[in-house]
Every structure is written in C-alpha cells, then in structure tokens.
Amino acid sequence: MDSLYSDQGGRLERRFDSETLRIEAWGPNALRVRATHLARMPERDWALLAPEPSTPRIAIDGDEASIVNGKIEARIDRTGRISFLRALSLSRAGSGGGGLSLISEEH
C-alpha cells in the first residue's frame, strides 16, 4: 500500500480520496496549511506575506507524519487530524550532552 504522505520539496502532503492537504514552512516558527479537492494544488499564492527562508524537518512513519519548523510542529494522524505543538525548550540528552531532545506541548 502506498503511503498517504509525501515530502514534496520540504512540504508535507497528505493525499486521501480526492483531497490534498499541504503543510509547509512559512518563515521562522510558522506553518501554512492548505487543502484542495482539485487535481493539483492551485498555483495562485493567496498568502498575505511572502515566506522567509526556513529549513523544515519532515518525518513520515507509517500512518502518521509530522513537520517541524523552528518552534512549531504539526502532526497528522491516520484519520487526518492535525495537532499543532510548540517547543518549550531544547535540552541536552544523555550525560555526554551529545543529542538534543525537543520538549513540546500540544494545543
């Protein structure tokens, strides 16, 4: 079975039935969410502001996916429900301090 999710050049997309849902980074600590029932996402940019450069991280794991941009994260579950979370802090993981752990809360 094909995945519902894909990374489209730093944009997280979910396709189910006739709907395409897209979540993309839109400047520091910001995400933009769009959806359509058209065959393709409209090219017209209706955003009020142009996006600033950012480097989102996308993770796809079976029937769930997420996109993190700065201090904001969006998670999509198997039913299409989107949860938005914000990072409270970054803490060092382990005694050696080698990795970082993202601590977040759901809204």
Side-chain angles (χ1 to χ4, degrees), residues 84-102:
F84 294 92
L85 302 95
R86 67 181 170 100
L88 296 176
S89 66
L90 289 173
S91 63
R92 293 281 173 193
S95 58
L100 290 176
S101 298
L102 182 64

Side-chain angles (χ1 to χ4, degrees), residues 71-73 84-89 103-107:
K71 295 180 180 179
I72 189 167
E73 176 180 2
F84 294 92
L85 302 95
R86 67 181 170 100
L88 296 176
S89 66
I103 301 171
S104 60
E105 69 178 353
E106 188 169 356
H107 288 272

Side-chain angles (χ1 to χ4, degrees), residues 23-32 54 56 67-72:
I23 305 175
E24 58 191 305
W26 207 257
N29 308 312
L31 295 171
R32 180 182 187 198
S54 55
I67 180 170
V68 176
N69 184 39
K71 295 180 180 179
I72 189 167

Side-chain angles (χ1 to χ4, degrees), residues 6-25:
S6 62
D7 181 341
Q8 298 291 318
R11 299 171 175 154
L12 176 59
E13 284 195 359
R14 180 183 190 267
R15 293 182 182 268
F16 184 76
D17 286 339
S18 65
E19 182 182 65
T20 300
L21 172 71
R22 177 184 288 172
I23 305 175
E24 58 191 305

Side-chain angles (χ1 to χ4, degrees), residues 68-81:
V68 176
N69 184 39
K71 295 180 180 179
I72 189 167
E73 176 180 2
R75 294 181 187 166
I76 310 173
D77 69 14
R78 61 182 173 78
T79 66
R81 179 175 163 246

